[in-house]
Amino acid sequence: MAAEDLPSEFDVVILGTGLAESVVAAAFSRVGQRVLHVDRRSYYAGDWASFTFNGLLSWIQEQHVSTSLLEEGEELICLSNSDSGSIRNVQVFCFTRWITDCFVTQASQTQGEEPEADRSQSEPAKKKINYAQLVKEGRRFNIDLVSKLMYSRGSLVDLLIKSNVSRYAEFKNITRILTYRHGNVEQVPCSRADVFASRQLSVVEKRKLMRFLTSCMEETEEQRAYKGRPYLEFLSDQQLGDNLQHFLLHSIAMVTEDTPTEEGLASTRHFLHCLGRYGNTPFLFPVYGLGEIPQCFCRMCAVFGGIYCLRHSVSCLLVDKESNRCKAVIDSRGQRISCSHFVVEECYVPANQKKVATPSRFVSRAVLITDSSVLHSDSEQQVSLVTVPPIAAGCPAVRMVELCPSTMTCMPGTYLVHLTCQSVGSAYEDLSPVVTRMFRTPESHDRENCPSVLWCLYFNMADGSGVEVEGHDLPSNVYVFSGPDGGLSHERAVRQAESIFNKVLPDEDFCPPAPNPEDIIYDGDTAASTGGEDEKQEKEGAGGEEKNEEGEAGEEEKKEEGRAGEEEQKEGAGEEIHEKEGAGDLAE
Amino acid sequence: QHGRVKIKSTAQQEEEKRKEREKKLKVYVAARDACFSKRKEGIMDDEALQLTQQLLSSNPDFATLWNYRREILMHMETVKDEDQVQKIYETELSFLESCLKVNPKSYGSWHQRGWVSARLPRPDWARELSLCDRCLSLDDRNFHCWDYRRMVVKMSGVPVDQELGFTDRLIGSNFSNYSSWHYRSTLLPLLHPESPEPPSPSREPPRSSPPPSPPTQSHRVCEEQLLKEYELVQNAFFTDPNDQSAWFYYRWLLGRAEREEMISCVYVSREVERVAVACSRPVNAQSVGLLLVLDGQPQRVEWRSVHPQLKHSPVWICDLPPGTISDVVNEHNLTVHWTEKHTHRDCALYTGRSESWCRDSATDQELFRSELSVEKTSVLQSELQSCNQLQELEPLNKWCLLTIILLMRALDPLGYEKETLAHFRTLKEVDSMRSAYYSDLCSRFMIENTILKMEYAEVRVFSISDKNLTTLCHLDQLLLVTHINVSCNQLQQLPPHFAMLQCLEVLEADNNSIEDLEGLHHLPKLEEVLLKNNKISTLADLQPLASCPKLKRLDLRGNPVAGTANLEVELAQLLPSVMHLLL
């Protein structure tokens, strides 16, 4: 659909396709609101996006370009150009050549004066992936800008189930929780089966841990007595040994040493509550990466008539002076589109209209492509959450997610590792010490038992939880969503979407279950469609409105790949979200 | 409003669903009728296969149709060559797989699968095993699948050690699944049998060798493996002490001692010319071939149980023909044979003696330790330590307490008596729903202890008053007792087994709640019965006493029956031998 053909009237215009915007778009569309959803970028999901390796390389380039623009242009007022405040300090390293060299020299060293021909024979055994291969197989990567996991009883999973959006995606269990302790990576026994199988714990420790996990589910007088005092103090008073305290504090509650007891207990409970719903850990991860989730909600929005335009933005708002309401927007093509509500991602809001000009907090991120897992096990297809407590005083606690190829986020033979922490310095300053300790890089070439880093990226991203979404100098029917926060869960984005939806339409249900495709009646020319055609219709809904030919083609191809992947996965642990009570529930 | 989505109303949906259902039903009924008529006509063609397939895929528990299918398939076996048959059966297997996806617990589908797998010319057992594994990973308690899997394992000869690895995996993913533990208990004795000679620690257990299957396969496991199993199961019950699967398996590990079967006691009384025999387990004397040889002469005697209600009993009696042994100057030699078990016991009745016996004493047999095995004391001791450790952490866990009691009994029943009683008290509190069970169990242990004490003292007096007994057991061990004191307990009856006390002369049972005297049945020597403060309420309840010829003293004070009018007269009629009656 060409831009000129855009209808001139909508109920809601939404700028930005991040998670919260996509959820609210689906919610509005689902209850019959006419939604126009646009994004300045050529891809969906904004800072929530997932990229192929090559896609990520272009994204990196864009960041450099726009960062320099921002420095030169000082304060950019135009909505469409001011988005890049959210990303900083991008640094990229590629070690594929170094690693290959490393092995070649080793091979020649060990073999001494053996003729060179032998080297090529020994090499296939330790075949290293080079940069060209990463680029060639780049499509197999789906690299998330944001690293999060879905709590199996969190609000996002509940919403996916309630709204039936879950049918658009597939999920995998996080298979294990690991932690970095005394220089080693250890598995954290958190479910009943883990505790039983653990070889590091004595039977008495097993009993103590299980008892703690069971007893902390209920609030007791004893717990209340620790209100305001550190959780660590509470834990050590429970006669739990050092290792158990470490597991409980850093890996299960995932809090810091000075977190108050009530908060520590609450997050411990949330963790335990999520166990056993889908597997032995509390977490799910969407196959093909987190960027799938906003797209799923967009698809839902499109099925119910929402219109999508990528590489399309809103340049001005037309505000009625009397009522201080936004009556219409002018899009980047100069078309006037009237609307009753306007929803915008925070980064589009001009600085002079913000309550606080710049993001106050940042998240440090690193993305590594490695050649093996941080902890070997029988299965190569492990999806791990690794908690790394502060390695020195003043350092942030780092959260690491290691994805295996079966999550469809990296090429076979590699692992994709996401590191995240609250920024203290730049991403490189915060995270490279952890990387050099746990992985083999040129700086830590002697760590021969650690996985080698083939390629890595560091960047800082604005922390959405440090961003004000209210109190801006904006019309009353303009709603602002913050970008992604640094936390592990999606609570914040889902809650924001729901609260804004309720503000606009207080009497409507938020994302009620979508009907089966055969129960949907299309008006006019498509009225007589059958179930099979509906599927097609839906896809056209999501992809068809895009002006960007290239992007659309890419989208289609990705979906095709997706289907092929699904076939492969039938054998594996490809997990569909639905109501199912696991057997390993701790509480039972 | 272009492209605006509308959703069908609930009424519309209902209507559509109803129509859909009607249509389905019509198709189903038509297909079913077609199948039935084809079967009647004896048609065995592909169309019939297709029709039944169509029906069974929506209703896999239609047994008639499976039968028809089997008829067709068997017919096809006769007319097609092997490759074709293989192909037909493979199609059947993939059809069955789709049926199992619909209903993984369908009897019909699993049975058909077993049937097909057994007939398949070239079976692919690896595929069948992986199918079972997939089913069990979805529901590890699907017993249909367990059954089918057992068949597959048997047919394909999967090595035992591989199967043990399979149970490792299942237990690892969910140790509350008793099916896996149980399966383990059947595999271990095959893989790591207890060696006949004392096991040396360096000996490698045989790996993956086909299971040796002598007719009397021991159910015991070599010590080295047992220690590993103890560790595994401890991990389970320390992780979740409330899960019973691990505890049951643990108890199996601890005790599988098999008691030797034998005649434990032969008693002969010159006076009543009667022989009483106690076996190590309840038997039916007529069917197991109990044979009495007196002075070298096999006797034609009629073995009787001590009470008509007991068809199976450890104790049997027979009366000798009058005059056979009545002369005190004669010495007699008796032998009782348990022909079925090729065992016997001799007993000599010497000159001048009015009675004689020969027996294995309970102390020699360590009879009551057999509940838990005759495992090495050191092993049991360390297991007791682990359980005590758990009990410190979980003082109110019933499984732990019960296991501690059993271990203590296996180790030193008398030495641990005090602790045992204390644990029983806790058990009754924490698990009040089963307090009667614990009382009975405790009674049994107290009786066992008293029997041991009696035998150490080498007396025929059995005194167990004021021990909160709720039941009487091991009465076969009291065959020789002449004087029993069970007063001040909570007994409600003297059960039929009580008649095993063939030598009993004095019964003290004051201060119980006895309502029923059924067990006082033909006790030839019983002279004195003290039943003060019990709950005998009618004259009819005293009827059994009439069968005891020597009864002289009877105390019925404090019983409801004492208030009955004309009681003395009636009693004099019922029990003419009684001289001293206290009412």
Side-chain angles (χ1 to χ4, degrees), chain A residues 232-258:
Chain A
L232 185 61
E233 199 178 310
F234 175 71
L235 291 176
S236 64
D237 288 356
Q238 301 297 306
Q239 315 292 319
L240 301 162
D242 273 353
N243 52 348
L244 297 183
Q245 287 179 37
H246 177 104
F247 294 152
L248 285 164
L249 186 79
H250 297 294
S251 306
I252 292 178
M254 285 181 276
V255 295
T256 56
E257 297 194 347
D258 45 9

PDB file of all heavy atoms in Angstrom, chain A residues 232-258:
ATOM      1  N   LEU A 232      20.685 -11.203  52.886  1.00  0.00           N
ATOM      2  CA  LEU A 232      21.837 -12.058  53.172  1.00  0.00           C
ATOM      3  C   LEU A 232      21.894 -12.411  54.659  1.00  0.00           C
ATOM      4  O   LEU A 232      22.216 -13.535  55.034  1.00  0.00           O
ATOM      5  CB  LEU A 232      23.130 -11.351  52.740  1.00  0.00           C
ATOM      6  CG  LEU A 232      24.403 -12.182  52.868  1.00  0.00           C
ATOM      7  CD1 LEU A 232      24.325 -13.420  51.984  1.00  0.00           C
ATOM      8  CD2 LEU A 232      25.630 -11.358  52.505  1.00  0.00           C
ATOM      9  N   GLU A 233      21.550 -11.429  55.499  1.00  0.00           N
ATOM     10  CA  GLU A 233      21.564 -11.660  56.936  1.00  0.00           C
ATOM     11  C   GLU A 233      20.518 -12.717  57.296  1.00  0.00           C
ATOM     12  O   GLU A 233      20.781 -13.645  58.067  1.00  0.00           O
ATOM     13  CB  GLU A 233      21.225 -10.338  57.628  1.00  0.00           C
ATOM     14  CG  GLU A 233      21.627 -10.270  59.073  1.00  0.00           C
ATOM     15  CD  GLU A 233      21.279  -8.888  59.637  1.00  0.00           C
ATOM     16  OE1 GLU A 233      21.648  -7.879  58.991  1.00  0.00           O
ATOM     17  OE2 GLU A 233      20.618  -8.832  60.688  1.00  0.00           O
ATOM     18  N   PHE A 234      19.352 -12.576  56.694  1.00  0.00           N
ATOM     19  CA  PHE A 234      18.289 -13.547  56.922  1.00  0.00           C
ATOM     20  C   PHE A 234      18.755 -14.945  56.509  1.00  0.00           C
ATOM     21  O   PHE A 234      18.584 -15.917  57.245  1.00  0.00           O
ATOM     22  CB  PHE A 234      17.045 -13.144  56.125  1.00  0.00           C
ATOM     23  CG  PHE A 234      15.920 -14.136  56.185  1.00  0.00           C
ATOM     24  CD1 PHE A 234      15.199 -14.317  57.350  1.00  0.00           C
ATOM     25  CD2 PHE A 234      15.594 -14.890  55.063  1.00  0.00           C
ATOM     26  CE1 PHE A 234      14.166 -15.232  57.408  1.00  0.00           C
ATOM     27  CE2 PHE A 234      14.561 -15.818  55.115  1.00  0.00           C
ATOM     28  CZ  PHE A 234      13.847 -15.984  56.290  1.00  0.00           C
ATOM     29  N   LEU A 235      19.384 -15.010  55.332  1.00  0.00           N
ATOM     30  CA  LEU A 235      19.825 -16.316  54.825  1.00  0.00           C
ATOM     31  C   LEU A 235      20.858 -16.942  55.738  1.00  0.00           C
ATOM     32  O   LEU A 235      20.803 -18.134  56.048  1.00  0.00           O
ATOM     33  CB  LEU A 235      20.410 -16.169  53.411  1.00  0.00           C
ATOM     34  CG  LEU A 235      19.415 -15.815  52.310  1.00  0.00           C
ATOM     35  CD1 LEU A 235      20.148 -15.618  50.995  1.00  0.00           C
ATOM     36  CD2 LEU A 235      18.356 -16.889  52.169  1.00  0.00           C
ATOM     37  N   SER A 236      21.813 -16.116  56.204  1.00  0.00           N
ATOM     38  CA  SER A 236      22.873 -16.737  57.007  1.00  0.00           C
ATOM     39  C   SER A 236      22.324 -17.164  58.370  1.00  0.00           C
ATOM     40  O   SER A 236      22.817 -18.121  58.949  1.00  0.00           O
ATOM     41  CB  SER A 236      24.082 -15.819  57.134  1.00  0.00           C
ATOM     42  OG  SER A 236      23.727 -14.667  57.839  1.00  0.00           O
ATOM     43  N   ASP A 237      21.272 -16.492  58.823  1.00  0.00           N
ATOM     44  CA  ASP A 237      20.660 -16.925  60.086  1.00  0.00           C
ATOM     45  C   ASP A 237      19.823 -18.194  59.943  1.00  0.00           C
ATOM     46  O   ASP A 237      19.379 -18.766  60.934  1.00  0.00           O
ATOM     47  CB  ASP A 237      19.790 -15.803  60.673  1.00  0.00           C
ATOM     48  CG  ASP A 237      20.643 -14.666  61.210  1.00  0.00           C
ATOM     49  OD1 ASP A 237      21.885 -14.804  61.178  1.00  0.00           O
ATOM     50  OD2 ASP A 237      20.078 -13.652  61.655  1.00  0.00           O
ATOM     51  N   GLN A 238      19.596 -18.622  58.703  1.00  0.00           N
ATOM     52  CA  GLN A 238      18.826 -19.852  58.500  1.00  0.00           C
ATOM     53  C   GLN A 238      19.719 -21.086  58.526  1.00  0.00           C
ATOM     54  O   GLN A 238      19.312 -22.153  58.076  1.00  0.00           O
ATOM     55  CB  GLN A 238      18.096 -19.812  57.146  1.00  0.00           C
ATOM     56  CG  GLN A 238      17.130 -18.668  56.985  1.00  0.00           C
ATOM     57  CD  GLN A 238      15.999 -18.735  57.983  1.00  0.00           C
ATOM     58  OE1 GLN A 238      15.326 -19.745  58.086  1.00  0.00           O
ATOM     59  NE2 GLN A 238      15.801 -17.674  58.736  1.00  0.00           N
ATOM     60  N   GLN A 239      20.933 -20.947  58.991  1.00  0.00           N
ATOM     61  CA  GLN A 239      21.869 -22.083  59.061  1.00  0.00           C
ATOM     62  C   GLN A 239      22.151 -22.660  57.683  1.00  0.00           C
ATOM     63  O   GLN A 239      22.319 -23.866  57.531  1.00  0.00           O
ATOM     64  CB  GLN A 239      21.331 -23.210  59.954  1.00  0.00           C
ATOM     65  CG  GLN A 239      20.738 -22.789  61.270  1.00  0.00           C
ATOM     66  CD  GLN A 239      21.782 -22.227  62.214  1.00  0.00           C
ATOM     67  OE1 GLN A 239      22.879 -22.753  62.309  1.00  0.00           O
ATOM     68  NE2 GLN A 239      21.450 -21.159  62.894  1.00  0.00           N
ATOM     69  N   LEU A 240      22.135 -21.810  56.675  1.00  0.00           N
ATOM     70  CA  LEU A 240      22.455 -22.305  55.341  1.00  0.00           C
ATOM     71  C   LEU A 240      23.933 -22.038  55.103  1.00  0.00           C
ATOM     72  O   LEU A 240      24.440 -20.986  55.455  1.00  0.00           O
ATOM     73  CB  LEU A 240      21.617 -21.566  54.293  1.00  0.00           C
ATOM     74  CG  LEU A 240      20.104 -21.702  54.466  1.00  0.00           C
ATOM     75  CD1 LEU A 240      19.376 -20.618  53.703  1.00  0.00           C
ATOM     76  CD2 LEU A 240      19.647 -23.065  54.005  1.00  0.00           C
ATOM     77  N   GLY A 241      24.606 -22.987  54.498  1.00  0.00           N
ATOM     78  CA  GLY A 241      26.039 -22.830  54.258  1.00  0.00           C
ATOM     79  C   GLY A 241      26.318 -21.775  53.199  1.00  0.00           C
ATOM     80  O   GLY A 241      25.406 -21.252  52.558  1.00  0.00           O
ATOM     81  N   ASP A 242      27.606 -21.479  53.017  1.00  0.00           N
ATOM     82  CA  ASP A 242      28.025 -20.457  52.053  1.00  0.00           C
ATOM     83  C   ASP A 242      27.484 -20.700  50.659  1.00  0.00           C
ATOM     84  O   ASP A 242      26.998 -19.795  49.995  1.00  0.00           O
ATOM     85  CB  ASP A 242      29.562 -20.436  51.956  1.00  0.00           C
ATOM     86  CG  ASP A 242      30.157 -19.532  53.008  1.00  0.00           C
ATOM     87  OD1 ASP A 242      29.346 -18.850  53.683  1.00  0.00           O
ATOM     88  OD2 ASP A 242      31.392 -19.518  53.143  1.00  0.00           O
ATOM     89  N   ASN A 243      27.600 -21.978  50.215  1.00  0.00           N
ATOM     90  CA  ASN A 243      27.179 -22.256  48.847  1.00  0.00           C
ATOM     91  C   ASN A 243      25.679 -22.060  48.689  1.00  0.00           C
ATOM     92  O   ASN A 243      25.223 -21.484  47.704  1.00  0.00           O
ATOM     93  CB  ASN A 243      27.600 -23.677  48.425  1.00  0.00           C
ATOM     94  CG  ASN A 243      27.159 -24.719  49.411  1.00  0.00           C
ATOM     95  OD1 ASN A 243      26.728 -24.400  50.518  1.00  0.00           O
ATOM     96  ND2 ASN A 243      27.241 -25.978  49.029  1.00  0.00           N
ATOM     97  N   LEU A 244      24.909 -22.504  49.694  1.00  0.00           N
ATOM     98  CA  LEU A 244      23.460 -22.342  49.598  1.00  0.00           C
ATOM     99  C   LEU A 244      23.076 -20.871  49.619  1.00  0.00           C
ATOM    100  O   LEU A 244      22.205 -20.421  48.879  1.00  0.00           O
ATOM    101  CB  LEU A 244      22.761 -23.088  50.731  1.00  0.00           C
ATOM    102  CG  LEU A 244      22.943 -24.603  50.737  1.00  0.00           C
ATOM    103  CD1 LEU A 244      22.137 -25.236  51.865  1.00  0.00           C
ATOM    104  CD2 LEU A 244      22.521 -25.211  49.409  1.00  0.00           C
ATOM    105  N   GLN A 245      23.766 -20.105  50.464  1.00  0.00           N
ATOM    106  CA  GLN A 245      23.482 -18.660  50.506  1.00  0.00           C
ATOM    107  C   GLN A 245      23.763 -18.018  49.156  1.00  0.00           C
ATOM    108  O   GLN A 245      22.994 -17.183  48.680  1.00  0.00           O
ATOM    109  CB  GLN A 245      24.337 -17.976  51.567  1.00  0.00           C
ATOM    110  CG  GLN A 245      23.890 -18.286  52.979  1.00  0.00           C
ATOM    111  CD  GLN A 245      24.790 -17.610  53.992  1.00  0.00           C
ATOM    112  OE1 GLN A 245      25.250 -16.493  53.793  1.00  0.00           O
ATOM    113  NE2 GLN A 245      25.037 -18.296  55.087  1.00  0.00           N
ATOM    114  N   HIS A 246      24.874 -18.439  48.550  1.00  0.00           N
ATOM    115  CA  HIS A 246      25.226 -17.895  47.232  1.00  0.00           C
ATOM    116  C   HIS A 246      24.121 -18.205  46.223  1.00  0.00           C
ATOM    117  O   HIS A 246      23.650 -17.320  45.519  1.00  0.00           O
ATOM    118  CB  HIS A 246      26.557 -18.499  46.774  1.00  0.00           C
ATOM    119  CG  HIS A 246      26.989 -18.061  45.404  1.00  0.00           C
ATOM    120  ND1 HIS A 246      27.979 -17.142  45.192  1.00  0.00           N
ATOM    121  CD2 HIS A 246      26.534 -18.404  44.180  1.00  0.00           C
ATOM    122  CE1 HIS A 246      28.116 -16.934  43.893  1.00  0.00           C
ATOM    123  NE2 HIS A 246      27.254 -17.706  43.259  1.00  0.00           N
ATOM    124  N   PHE A 247      23.709 -19.483  46.171  1.00  0.00           N
ATOM    125  CA  PHE A 247      22.673 -19.887  45.214  1.00  0.00           C
ATOM    126  C   PHE A 247      21.402 -19.078  45.433  1.00  0.00           C
ATOM    127  O   PHE A 247      20.786 -18.574  44.494  1.00  0.00           O
ATOM    128  CB  PHE A 247      22.342 -21.380  45.364  1.00  0.00           C
ATOM    129  CG  PHE A 247      23.469 -22.302  44.995  1.00  0.00           C
ATOM    130  CD1 PHE A 247      23.570 -23.559  45.577  1.00  0.00           C
ATOM    131  CD2 PHE A 247      24.422 -21.918  44.062  1.00  0.00           C
ATOM    132  CE1 PHE A 247      24.609 -24.413  45.233  1.00  0.00           C
ATOM    133  CE2 PHE A 247      25.458 -22.767  43.710  1.00  0.00           C
ATOM    134  CZ  PHE A 247      25.556 -24.018  44.309  1.00  0.00           C
ATOM    135  N   LEU A 248      21.018 -18.980  46.699  1.00  0.00           N
ATOM    136  CA  LEU A 248      19.729 -18.344  46.985  1.00  0.00           C
ATOM    137  C   LEU A 248      19.768 -16.851  46.707  1.00  0.00           C
ATOM    138  O   LEU A 248      18.823 -16.288  46.156  1.00  0.00           O
ATOM    139  CB  LEU A 248      19.339 -18.595  48.447  1.00  0.00           C
ATOM    140  CG  LEU A 248      18.852 -20.023  48.719  1.00  0.00           C
ATOM    141  CD1 LEU A 248      18.869 -20.324  50.207  1.00  0.00           C
ATOM    142  CD2 LEU A 248      17.457 -20.222  48.159  1.00  0.00           C
ATOM    143  N   LEU A 249      20.861 -16.227  47.060  1.00  0.00           N
ATOM    144  CA  LEU A 249      20.937 -14.773  46.928  1.00  0.00           C
ATOM    145  C   LEU A 249      21.134 -14.368  45.463  1.00  0.00           C
ATOM    146  O   LEU A 249      20.371 -13.576  44.917  1.00  0.00           O
ATOM    147  CB  LEU A 249      22.090 -14.236  47.774  1.00  0.00           C
ATOM    148  CG  LEU A 249      22.195 -12.715  47.833  1.00  0.00           C
ATOM    149  CD1 LEU A 249      21.174 -12.169  48.819  1.00  0.00           C
ATOM    150  CD2 LEU A 249      23.593 -12.267  48.227  1.00  0.00           C
ATOM    151  N   HIS A 250      22.152 -14.947  44.847  1.00  0.00           N
ATOM    152  CA  HIS A 250      22.535 -14.473  43.522  1.00  0.00           C
ATOM    153  C   HIS A 250      21.755 -15.120  42.386  1.00  0.00           C
ATOM    154  O   HIS A 250      21.500 -14.489  41.373  1.00  0.00           O
ATOM    155  CB  HIS A 250      24.029 -14.706  43.288  1.00  0.00           C
ATOM    156  CG  HIS A 250      24.894 -13.942  44.240  1.00  0.00           C
ATOM    157  ND1 HIS A 250      24.945 -12.574  44.239  1.00  0.00           N
ATOM    158  CD2 HIS A 250      25.701 -14.365  45.239  1.00  0.00           C
ATOM    159  CE1 HIS A 250      25.782 -12.177  45.198  1.00  0.00           C
ATOM    160  NE2 HIS A 250      26.246 -13.241  45.814  1.00  0.00           N
ATOM    161  N   SER A 251      21.405 -16.387  42.554  1.00  0.00           N
ATOM    162  CA  SER A 251      20.828 -17.096  41.412  1.00  0.00           C
ATOM    163  C   SER A 251      19.323 -17.268  41.505  1.00  0.00           C
ATOM    164  O   SER A 251      18.655 -17.330  40.494  1.00  0.00           O
ATOM    165  CB  SER A 251      21.453 -18.480  41.279  1.00  0.00           C
ATOM    166  OG  SER A 251      22.849 -18.347  41.233  1.00  0.00           O
ATOM    167  N   ILE A 252      18.809 -17.391  42.694  1.00  0.00           N
ATOM    168  CA  ILE A 252      17.369 -17.623  42.805  1.00  0.00           C
ATOM    169  C   ILE A 252      16.647 -16.298  43.040  1.00  0.00           C
ATOM    170  O   ILE A 252      15.779 -15.917  42.269  1.00  0.00           O
ATOM    171  CB  ILE A 252      17.077 -18.685  43.881  1.00  0.00           C
ATOM    172  CG1 ILE A 252      17.608 -20.030  43.368  1.00  0.00           C
ATOM    173  CG2 ILE A 252      15.596 -18.760  44.210  1.00  0.00           C
ATOM    174  CD1 ILE A 252      17.470 -21.193  44.286  1.00  0.00           C
ATOM    175  N   ALA A 253      17.057 -15.569  44.081  1.00  0.00           N
ATOM    176  CA  ALA A 253      16.437 -14.253  44.270  1.00  0.00           C
ATOM    177  C   ALA A 253      17.003 -13.252  43.254  1.00  0.00           C
ATOM    178  O   ALA A 253      16.334 -12.305  42.877  1.00  0.00           O
ATOM    179  CB  ALA A 253      16.683 -13.768  45.688  1.00  0.00           C
ATOM    180  N   MET A 254      18.220 -13.481  42.808  1.00  0.00           N
ATOM    181  CA  MET A 254      18.919 -12.579  41.894  1.00  0.00           C
ATOM    182  C   MET A 254      18.918 -11.147  42.419  1.00  0.00           C
ATOM    183  O   MET A 254      18.506 -10.209  41.718  1.00  0.00           O
ATOM    184  CB  MET A 254      18.316 -12.673  40.487  1.00  0.00           C
ATOM    185  CG  MET A 254      18.745 -13.946  39.793  1.00  0.00           C
ATOM    186  SD  MET A 254      18.113 -14.120  38.135  1.00  0.00           S
ATOM    187  CE  MET A 254      16.516 -14.796  38.461  1.00  0.00           C
ATOM    188  N   VAL A 255      19.322 -10.991  43.654  1.00  0.00           N
ATOM    189  CA  VAL A 255      19.414  -9.666  44.257  1.00  0.00           C
ATOM    190  C   VAL A 255      20.841  -9.458  44.762  1.00  0.00           C
ATOM    191  O   VAL A 255      21.672 -10.357  44.673  1.00  0.00           O
ATOM    192  CB  VAL A 255      18.399  -9.507  45.428  1.00  0.00           C
ATOM    193  CG1 VAL A 255      16.981  -9.588  44.895  1.00  0.00           C
ATOM    194  CG2 VAL A 255      18.627 -10.562  46.488  1.00  0.00           C
ATOM    195  N   THR A 256      21.078  -8.294  45.316  1.00  0.00           N
ATOM    196  CA  THR A 256      22.428  -8.014  45.786  1.00  0.00           C
ATOM    197  C   THR A 256      22.501  -8.211  47.296  1.00  0.00           C
ATOM    198  O   THR A 256      21.489  -8.447  47.957  1.00  0.00           O
ATOM    199  CB  THR A 256      22.835  -6.565  45.456  1.00  0.00           C
ATOM    200  OG1 THR A 256      21.855  -5.704  46.034  1.00  0.00           O
ATOM    201  CG2 THR A 256      22.874  -6.350  43.959  1.00  0.00           C
ATOM    202  N   GLU A 257      23.702  -8.102  47.830  1.00  0.00           N
ATOM    203  CA  GLU A 257      23.894  -8.427  49.239  1.00  0.00           C
ATOM    204  C   GLU A 257      23.147  -7.492  50.178  1.00  0.00           C
ATOM    205  O   GLU A 257      22.829  -7.855  51.297  1.00  0.00           O
ATOM    206  CB  GLU A 257      25.393  -8.431  49.567  1.00  0.00           C
ATOM    207  CG  GLU A 257      26.098  -9.515  48.776  1.00  0.00           C
ATOM    208  CD  GLU A 257      27.495  -9.797  49.287  1.00  0.00           C
ATOM    209  OE1 GLU A 257      27.996  -8.991  50.095  1.00  0.00           O
ATOM    210  OE2 GLU A 257      28.057 -10.825  48.882  1.00  0.00           O
ATOM    211  N   ASP A 258      22.866  -6.263  49.716  1.00  0.00           N
ATOM    212  CA  ASP A 258      22.185  -5.342  50.636  1.00  0.00           C
ATOM    213  C   ASP A 258      20.688  -5.214  50.356  1.00  0.00           C
ATOM    214  O   ASP A 258      20.015  -4.390  50.955  1.00  0.00           O
ATOM    215  CB  ASP A 258      22.867  -3.964  50.608  1.00  0.00           C
ATOM    216  CG  ASP A 258      23.162  -3.516  49.198  1.00  0.00           C
ATOM    217  OD1 ASP A 258      22.684  -4.189  48.263  1.00  0.00           O
ATOM    218  OD2 ASP A 258      23.868  -2.498  49.026  1.00  0.00           O
TER     219      ASP A 258
END
